[in-house]
PDB file of all heavy atoms in Angstrom:
ATOM      1  N   LEU A1459      41.876 -84.413  79.131  1.00 96.00           N
ATOM      2  CA  LEU A1459      42.720 -84.652  77.971  1.00 96.00           C
ATOM      3  C   LEU A1459      44.085 -83.961  78.068  1.00 96.00           C
ATOM      4  O   LEU A1459      44.856 -83.921  77.101  1.00 96.00           O
ATOM      5  CB  LEU A1459      42.033 -84.202  76.680  1.00 96.00           C
ATOM      6  CG  LEU A1459      40.732 -84.922  76.322  1.00 96.00           C
ATOM      7  CD1 LEU A1459      40.089 -84.249  75.129  1.00 96.00           C
ATOM      8  CD2 LEU A1459      40.999 -86.392  76.020  1.00 96.00           C
ATOM      9  N   ASP A1460      44.387 -83.401  79.242  1.00 95.00           N
ATOM     10  CA  ASP A1460      45.622 -82.610  79.403  1.00 95.00           C
ATOM     11  C   ASP A1460      46.833 -83.528  79.489  1.00 95.00           C
ATOM     12  O   ASP A1460      47.329 -83.828  80.579  1.00 95.00           O
ATOM     13  CB  ASP A1460      45.517 -81.744  80.624  1.00 95.00           C
ATOM     14  CG  ASP A1460      46.622 -80.679  80.667  1.00 95.00           C
ATOM     15  OD1 ASP A1460      47.459 -80.699  79.764  1.00 95.00           O
ATOM     16  OD2 ASP A1460      46.614 -79.847  81.621  1.00 95.00           O
ATOM     17  N   ARG A1461      47.262 -84.016  78.315  1.00 92.00           N
ATOM     18  CA  ARG A1461      48.421 -84.894  78.204  1.00 92.00           C
ATOM     19  C   ARG A1461      49.340 -84.382  77.088  1.00 92.00           C
ATOM     20  O   ARG A1461      48.936 -83.544  76.255  1.00 92.00           O
ATOM     21  CB  ARG A1461      47.978 -86.327  77.898  1.00 92.00           C
ATOM     22  CG  ARG A1461      47.112 -86.938  78.990  1.00 92.00           C
ATOM     23  CD  ARG A1461      46.760 -88.405  78.665  1.00 92.00           C
ATOM     24  NE  ARG A1461      45.807 -88.472  77.574  1.00 92.00           N
ATOM     25  CZ  ARG A1461      44.477 -88.543  77.734  1.00 92.00           C
ATOM     26  NH1 ARG A1461      43.957 -88.526  78.971  1.00 92.00           N
ATOM     27  NH2 ARG A1461      43.665 -88.628  76.712  1.00 92.00           N
ATOM     28  N   ASP A1462      50.565 -84.863  77.046  1.00 89.00           N
ATOM     29  CA  ASP A1462      51.558 -84.340  76.109  1.00 89.00           C
ATOM     30  C   ASP A1462      51.091 -84.477  74.659  1.00 89.00           C
ATOM     31  O   ASP A1462      51.191 -83.538  73.877  1.00 89.00           O
ATOM     32  CB  ASP A1462      52.892 -85.041  76.297  1.00 89.00           C
ATOM     33  CG  ASP A1462      53.577 -84.641  77.608  1.00 89.00           C
ATOM     34  OD1 ASP A1462      53.157 -83.628  78.180  1.00 89.00           O
ATOM     35  OD2 ASP A1462      54.535 -85.346  78.012  1.00 89.00           O
ATOM     36  N   ASP A1463      50.615 -85.658  74.279  1.00 90.00           N
ATOM     37  CA  ASP A1463      50.211 -85.873  72.889  1.00 90.00           C
ATOM     38  C   ASP A1463      49.061 -84.940  72.528  1.00 90.00           C
ATOM     39  O   ASP A1463      49.053 -84.335  71.432  1.00 90.00           O
ATOM     40  CB  ASP A1463      49.785 -87.317  72.648  1.00 90.00           C
ATOM     41  CG  ASP A1463      50.990 -88.221  72.460  1.00 90.00           C
ATOM     42  OD1 ASP A1463      52.125 -87.716  72.445  1.00 90.00           O
ATOM     43  OD2 ASP A1463      50.802 -89.460  72.331  1.00 90.00           O
ATOM     44  N   GLU A1464      48.070 -84.851  73.419  1.00 93.00           N
ATOM     45  CA  GLU A1464      46.938 -84.004  73.127  1.00 93.00           C
ATOM     46  C   GLU A1464      47.332 -82.518  73.049  1.00 93.00           C
ATOM     47  O   GLU A1464      46.782 -81.758  72.226  1.00 93.00           O
ATOM     48  CB  GLU A1464      45.825 -84.208  74.151  1.00 93.00           C
ATOM     49  CG  GLU A1464      44.951 -85.433  73.951  1.00 93.00           C
ATOM     50  CD  GLU A1464      45.634 -86.731  74.313  1.00 93.00           C
ATOM     51  OE1 GLU A1464      46.801 -86.693  74.794  1.00 93.00           O
ATOM     52  OE2 GLU A1464      45.031 -87.799  74.103  1.00 93.00           O
ATOM     53  N   ARG A1465      48.266 -82.088  73.872  1.00 92.00           N
ATOM     54  CA  ARG A1465      48.732 -80.701  73.798  1.00 92.00           C
ATOM     55  C   ARG A1465      49.460 -80.448  72.474  1.00 92.00           C
ATOM     56  O   ARG A1465      49.332 -79.394  71.872  1.00 92.00           O
ATOM     57  CB  ARG A1465      49.640 -80.384  74.958  1.00 92.00           C
ATOM     58  CG  ARG A1465      48.851 -80.022  76.253  1.00 92.00           C
ATOM     59  CD  ARG A1465      49.753 -79.528  77.368  1.00 92.00           C
ATOM     60  NE  ARG A1465      48.968 -78.965  78.461  1.00 92.00           N
ATOM     61  CZ  ARG A1465      48.589 -77.704  78.581  1.00 92.00           C
ATOM     62  NH1 ARG A1465      48.942 -76.841  77.641  1.00 92.00           N
ATOM     63  NH2 ARG A1465      47.879 -77.313  79.617  1.00 92.00           N
ATOM     64  N   SER A1466      50.213 -81.443  72.041  1.00 89.00           N
ATOM     65  CA  SER A1466      50.905 -81.301  70.764  1.00 89.00           C
ATOM     66  C   SER A1466      49.907 -81.277  69.619  1.00 89.00           C
ATOM     67  O   SER A1466      50.025 -80.452  68.688  1.00 89.00           O
ATOM     68  CB  SER A1466      51.905 -82.460  70.572  1.00 89.00           C
ATOM     69  OG  SER A1466      52.516 -82.404  69.337  1.00 89.00           O
ATOM     70  N   LEU A1467      48.922 -82.158  69.668  1.00 93.00           N
ATOM     71  CA  LEU A1467      47.879 -82.168  68.638  1.00 93.00           C
ATOM     72  C   LEU A1467      47.082 -80.852  68.647  1.00 93.00           C
ATOM     73  O   LEU A1467      46.680 -80.361  67.588  1.00 93.00           O
ATOM     74  CB  LEU A1467      46.909 -83.334  68.878  1.00 93.00           C
ATOM     75  CG  LEU A1467      47.416 -84.730  68.457  1.00 93.00           C
ATOM     76  CD1 LEU A1467      46.525 -85.809  69.060  1.00 93.00           C
ATOM     77  CD2 LEU A1467      47.471 -84.843  66.944  1.00 93.00           C
ATOM     78  N   MET A1468      46.902 -80.267  69.829  1.00 93.00           N
ATOM     79  CA  MET A1468      46.173 -79.007  69.915  1.00 93.00           C
ATOM     80  C   MET A1468      46.913 -77.911  69.149  1.00 93.00           C
ATOM     81  O   MET A1468      46.285 -77.054  68.537  1.00 93.00           O
ATOM     82  CB  MET A1468      45.987 -78.615  71.380  1.00 93.00           C
ATOM     83  CG  MET A1468      45.286 -77.265  71.587  1.00 93.00           C
ATOM     84  SD  MET A1468      43.657 -77.180  70.788  1.00 93.00           S
ATOM     85  CE  MET A1468      42.756 -78.374  71.761  1.00 93.00           C
ATOM     86  N   ALA A1508      49.530 -93.960  65.595  1.00 88.00           N
ATOM     87  CA  ALA A1508      49.047 -94.044  66.982  1.00 88.00           C
ATOM     88  C   ALA A1508      48.853 -92.634  67.557  1.00 88.00           C
ATOM     89  O   ALA A1508      47.958 -92.417  68.388  1.00 88.00           O
ATOM     90  CB  ALA A1508      50.042 -94.833  67.816  1.00 88.00           C
ATOM     91  N   TYR A1509      49.695 -91.711  67.177  1.00 89.00           N
ATOM     92  CA  TYR A1509      49.597 -90.346  67.642  1.00 89.00           C
ATOM     93  C   TYR A1509      48.421 -89.633  66.947  1.00 89.00           C
ATOM     94  O   TYR A1509      47.560 -89.016  67.581  1.00 89.00           O
ATOM     95  CB  TYR A1509      50.899 -89.612  67.344  1.00 89.00           C
ATOM     96  CG  TYR A1509      50.894 -88.125  67.514  1.00 89.00           C
ATOM     97  CD1 TYR A1509      51.080 -87.529  68.761  1.00 89.00           C
ATOM     98  CD2 TYR A1509      50.746 -87.290  66.417  1.00 89.00           C
ATOM     99  CE1 TYR A1509      51.105 -86.138  68.909  1.00 89.00           C
ATOM    100  CE2 TYR A1509      50.769 -85.899  66.536  1.00 89.00           C
ATOM    101  CZ  TYR A1509      50.941 -85.340  67.791  1.00 89.00           C
ATOM    102  OH  TYR A1509      50.959 -83.986  67.928  1.00 89.00           O
ATOM    103  N   LYS A1512      44.535 -90.038  67.915  1.00 95.00           N
ATOM    104  CA  LYS A1512      43.930 -89.379  69.084  1.00 95.00           C
ATOM    105  C   LYS A1512      43.226 -88.088  68.735  1.00 95.00           C
ATOM    106  O   LYS A1512      42.541 -87.500  69.569  1.00 95.00           O
ATOM    107  CB  LYS A1512      45.039 -89.078  70.121  1.00 95.00           C
ATOM    108  CG  LYS A1512      45.730 -90.317  70.639  1.00 95.00           C
ATOM    109  CD  LYS A1512      46.857 -89.963  71.599  1.00 95.00           C
ATOM    110  CE  LYS A1512      47.578 -91.229  72.090  1.00 95.00           C
ATOM    111  NZ  LYS A1512      48.674 -90.902  73.045  1.00 95.00           N
ATOM    112  N   LEU A1516      39.988 -85.499  70.700  1.00 97.00           N
ATOM    113  CA  LEU A1516      40.369 -84.138  71.060  1.00 97.00           C
ATOM    114  C   LEU A1516      39.492 -83.141  70.322  1.00 97.00           C
ATOM    115  O   LEU A1516      39.014 -82.129  70.909  1.00 97.00           O
ATOM    116  CB  LEU A1516      41.836 -83.899  70.700  1.00 97.00           C
ATOM    117  CG  LEU A1516      42.356 -82.474  70.945  1.00 97.00           C
ATOM    118  CD1 LEU A1516      42.378 -82.151  72.455  1.00 97.00           C
ATOM    119  CD2 LEU A1516      43.748 -82.295  70.345  1.00 97.00           C
TER     120      LEU A1516
END
Side-chain angles (χ1 to χ4, degrees):
L1459 297 173
D1460 193 357
R1461 297 182 289 267
D1462 289 345
D1463 280 356
E1464 279 75 3
R1465 278 189 170 269
S1466 176
L1467 284 166
M1468 178 56 67
Y1509 169 83
K1512 299 177 181 181
L1516 176 67

